[in-house]
Amino acid sequence: MIQRATNLFALWTVMGTLWAWLVPEHFIWVADGSIRPFGQPLISVLLGVIMLGMGITLSFDDFRRVFAMPRCVVAGVVLQFTIMPVTGVVLAHALGLAPGLAVGLILVSCCPGGTASNVITYMARANVALSVTMTMASTLVAIALTPLLTGWLAGVFVEIDRWSLFREMVAIVLLPVIAGVLLNRYMPKVTKLAANASPMLSVLTVVLIVGGIIAKSKPLIEANFGILLLSVLLLHASGFGLGYLLARVLGLGSAEQRTVGIEVGMQNSGLGATLASSPSFTAQFPNPLQAALAPVPSALSSVCHVLIGSLLAAVWRRQPPVASAEIGAPAVAES
């Protein structure tokens, strides 16, 4: 039941977004809340819960899988951190986005692939093992690359404190993932039970984060809806399309082409929204209005990429792929 409910994450995301839009007061507490007595923003804590959930589903064998399929993993991670950031900065300039929207779009484009991509990969009859490995690898690489790329590409619009962004990545991504892996290693019985529910918990947590941003930013979204929707749709459509095509050019198997396309096109929008909402990040904007705009692209991104991914999965599911010779095992997980 939990797995089937998790597979409907696109529905939960859309429903949560609509709920936050129609009744903002039900979600505004997520964006404004903090954990006492530390004063840590609630959104950061919620993302840490997601990363902890990801960690408890990983074992040391999962890290060894990187070396079992190095060509696919390296190709996917490189495409992840080239296609999306370049597309993000090109769209920000070409569409003449306001500084806050431009920085927010570039930030989410520099984030790693999200865990929702694993579900979409399963639904698309692609390589689930590769998807999980790529998500793990891109998340770890992002701890350094997301601050560096964001500072470099978004620095044209506003000066980015890369060191502060790096500390945020360590606190809300690296430490929870490491804690989860260690819990899985030394408390396997406990984490095995938790791992069954963690994917659904992650989906609900992302819905809360996105709902909080939507509720708080509703007037800003209304004022910028057309250009905002266009930029986010083009970003993700480019990621899915170019990721798939370049994986094909590189000679990867058909299942791996689908997987790379999905991984590149789907970002960790919850991470983007959390980073863009952090006090250390918003303090870098001289204009409070532009600071308030920064998390908005990530919130809309979470809806757009799951809808595009779900449509692709529905098409690809009817076309069984050929298993990859590199993995040496069937690449498709049957439902």
Side-chain angles (χ1 to χ4, degrees):
M1 288 178 63
I2 293 175
Q3 183 176 3
R4 289 181 178 179
T6 303
N7 289 345
L8 295 174
F9 70 95
L11 175 63
W12 308 136
T13 303
V14 172
M15 288 179 63
T17 301
L18 287 174
W19 187 355
W21 183 264
L22 296 174
V23 195
E25 56 269 24
H26 288 181
F27 286 84
I28 196 78
W29 60 273
V30 180
D32 293 337
S34 62
I35 301 298
R36 298 179 180 179
F38 306 103
Q40 189 71 14
L42 179 58
I43 285 182
S44 297
V45 176
L46 290 174
L47 186 73
V49 171
I50 295 174
M51 293 296 105
L52 179 66
M54 176 182 175
I56 64 174
T57 64
L58 299 175
S59 66
F60 291 106
D61 288 335
D62 293 310
F63 292 91
R64 296 189 187 100
R65 275 211 305 263
V66 174
F67 303 101
M69 41 184 153
R71 184 163 167 262
C72 290
V73 175
V74 171
V77 172
V78 169
L79 292 176
Q80 171 76 57
F81 288 105
T82 51
I83 291 174
M84 295 302 278
V86 170
T87 303
V89 74
V90 167
L91 288 172
H93 285 286
L95 298 175
L97 297 182
L101 292 179
V103 171
L105 186 73
I106 293 171
L107 175 59
V108 74
S109 73
C110 294
C111 286
T115 53
S117 61
N118 307 149
V119 180
I120 289 293
T121 300
Y122 174 79
M123 293 166 61
R125 297 164 63 96
N127 194 317
V128 179
L130 175 61
S131 177
V132 173
T133 306
M134 276 187 60
T135 300
M136 176 193 68
S138 66
T139 299
L140 296 177
V141 170
I143 294 166
L145 280 188
T146 295
L148 288 174
L149 289 172
T150 304
W152 177 38
L153 299 174
V156 177
F157 298 94
V158 63
E159 188 172 349
I160 303 295
D161 186 345
R162 303 180 196 187
W163 179 242
S164 175
L165 203 54
F166 174 74
R167 289 198 303 268
E168 290 280 343
M169 291 292 291
V170 170
I172 64 180
V173 176
L174 181 61
L175 294 181
V177 169
I178 290 176
V181 172
L182 292 177
L183 284 172
N184 189 16
R185 173 67 176 83
Y186 295 107
M187 301 178 65
K189 293 182 179 179
V190 175
T191 54
K192 185 176 181 180
L193 293 174
N196 292 329
S198 66
M200 189 62 203
L201 178 62
S202 296
V203 169
L204 295 177
T205 306
V206 168
V207 170
L208 278 177
I209 292 174
V210 171
I213 300 297
I214 293 290
K216 185 175 183 179
S217 309
K218 182 177 178 179
L220 296 174
I221 295 174
E222 289 177 324
N224 299 274
F225 184 75
I227 193 70
L228 178 61
L229 180 62
L230 177 63
S231 61
V232 173
L233 281 175
L234 288 175
L235 175 68
H236 288 294
S238 300
F240 282 107
L242 291 175
Y244 176 80
L245 290 174
L246 290 177
R248 189 168 188 172
V249 169
L250 291 172
L252 303 186
S254 58
E256 287 64 50
Q257 294 168 22
R258 296 180 183 186
T259 306
V260 170
I262 292 168
E263 285 292 326
V264 173
M266 299 189 71
Q267 300 296 91
N268 190 333
S269 302
L271 174 60
T274 302
L275 293 174
S277 303
S278 66
S280 60
F281 191 83
T282 55
Q284 298 169 63
F285 288 86
N287 185 336
L289 175 62
Q290 296 302 322
L293 282 171
V296 176
S298 293
L300 196 57
S301 163
S302 66
V303 181
C304 290
H305 74 197
V306 296
L307 291 178
I308 297 173
S310 297
L311 289 173
L312 275 176
V315 173
W316 278 336
R317 187 161 185 80
R318 301 179 181 181
Q319 306 167 4
V322 179
S324 169
E326 182 184 22
I327 312 301
V332 180
E334 291 287 353
S335 64

